[in-house]
Amino acid sequence: MNDDLYLKKIDLINTLKEENAIRNLKVEKAFFEIPREMFVRDEDISLAYINAPLSIGYGQTISQPYMVAYMTTLLNLNENDTVLEVGTGSGYQAAILSKLVMEVYTVERISELAERAKKIFQNLGIKNIKVKVGDGTLGWAKFAPFDKIIVTAAGPKIPESLLKQLKPGGIMIIPVGESTFIQTLKIVKKDEKGKIYIEDDIKCVFVKLLGKEGW
Ligand code: SAM
């Protein structure tokens, strides 16, 4: 990494800490370790550490670093957790998670993006991420239930399949909204008896969650 990019990376991480999106050393370390420049398009490498989403082709985006940090923090991750991510996109969020938990399962509906992400994980030597091409609104039954679920695209409601695949004591973070321009980040908690609690958090803007239990 050149000096300019390195300084921008330090600046971004400091901003995310000031904004309270990064709240502990483990998440901060994950942001240091994962090179966002490897997940953006070649022509955007100089923009890799601006606090904004960027296009990755196919009408999709790599999420804004603030959102990645904020959602990662809300998941309250433990090193033994298994996490399901819906919407692999560039693979950046999954790579951050891979540094913080035991295993990440990520589902992407666009096969070209899933393949691209897999190659980046290989190049980085990341071995604890499994990628599947398919409709993530249905979860990934084979590896369910999950300690944590993160959905990085916004649908009209919380998919039933994902609620079922969340472990008792688990947390799911998901943007939901009738509007495709602005949505609400929901924090979903399942208690040990299986009762669901849903809390509205900040407003956000995500691409559409398409699929059987999405748009
Ligand atoms: N987490 C990604 C990252 O770190 O780059 C950003 C994801 S992007 C904002 C949302 C992704 O969700 C897109 O790649 C889109 O194709 C995918 N997506 C939308 N609906 C989906 C579905 N039902 N199943 C799986 N992926 C879906």
Side-chain angles (χ1 to χ4, degrees):
M1 181 194 287
N2 65 38
D3 288 355
D4 183 46
L5 221 46
Y6 182 73
L7 290 175
K8 284 179 181 160
K9 184 173 188 170
I10 308 263
D11 267 358
L12 175 65
I13 291 171
N14 283 335
T15 303
L16 297 177
K17 283 163 68 181
E18 278 160 27
E19 290 175 333
N20 220 17
I22 292 179
R23 297 178 201 166
N24 68 56
L25 198 57
K26 280 187 186 165
V27 175
E28 182 175 350
K29 259 187 86 188
F31 271 78
F32 264 113
E33 282 171 18
I34 299 299
R36 193 169 187 258
E37 64 274 23
M38 282 184 66
F39 294 84
V40 302
R41 295 190 297 187
D42 286 349
E43 60 267 38
D44 289 335
I45 286 178
S46 65
L47 305 177
Y49 292 102
I50 63 169
N51 199 0
L54 296 168
S55 169
I56 50 170
Y58 308 94
Q60 306 303 327
T61 53
I62 176 172
S63 302
Q64 181 190 7
Y66 175 84
M67 254 354 261
V68 176
Y70 188 72
M71 290 171 87
T72 302
T73 294
L74 288 182
L75 284 172
N76 197 17
L77 298 166
N78 296 306
E79 57 194 12
N80 290 324
D81 281 350
T82 56
V83 181
L84 172 71
E85 181 195 30
V86 178
T88 315
S90 69
Y92 180 67
Q93 171 78 72
I96 294 282
L97 295 172
S98 77
K99 296 288 171 193
L100 298 162
V101 301
M102 197 168 68
E103 193 76 44
V104 180
Y105 300 88
T106 181
V107 186
E108 171 57 53
R109 54 179 288 280
I110 300 173
S111 58
E112 290 86 348
L113 288 177
E115 284 309 315
R116 178 182 176 274
K118 261 194 221 172
K119 278 197 198 116
I120 303 173
F121 301 148
Q122 264 167 19
N123 290 341
L124 288 173
I126 297 174
K127 295 198 167 70
N128 61 338
I129 303 179
K130 287 194 171 59
V131 184
K132 176 172 121 159
V133 177
D135 179 359
T137 66
L138 304 176
W140 195 341
K142 187 176 171 191
F143 295 106
F146 303 96
D147 296 292
K148 310 283 161 65
I149 298 178
I150 175 169
V151 183
T152 63
K157 63 180 175 57
I158 302 169
E160 271 306 313
S161 300
L162 298 185
L163 285 173
K164 280 197 195 116
Q165 291 180 23
L166 186 64
K167 267 191 200 168
I171 301 175
M172 167 163 42
I173 308 298
I174 176 170
V176 176
E178 282 304 322
S179 150
T180 52
F181 299 107
I182 187 152
Q183 305 99 24
T184 305
L185 202 62
K186 306 252 179 197
I187 305 173
V188 181
K189 290 185 179 161
K190 191 185 262 190
D191 75 8
E192 295 299 335
K193 290 183 182 148
K195 196 168 183 307
I196 301 285
Y197 298 86
I198 300 170
E199 206 183 292
D200 284 359
D201 201 74
I202 57 171
K203 295 288 172 200
C204 53
V205 182
F206 278 88
V207 297
K208 277 188 182 180
L209 178 70
L210 300 172
K212 198 154 179 229
E213 297 187 42
W215 289 107

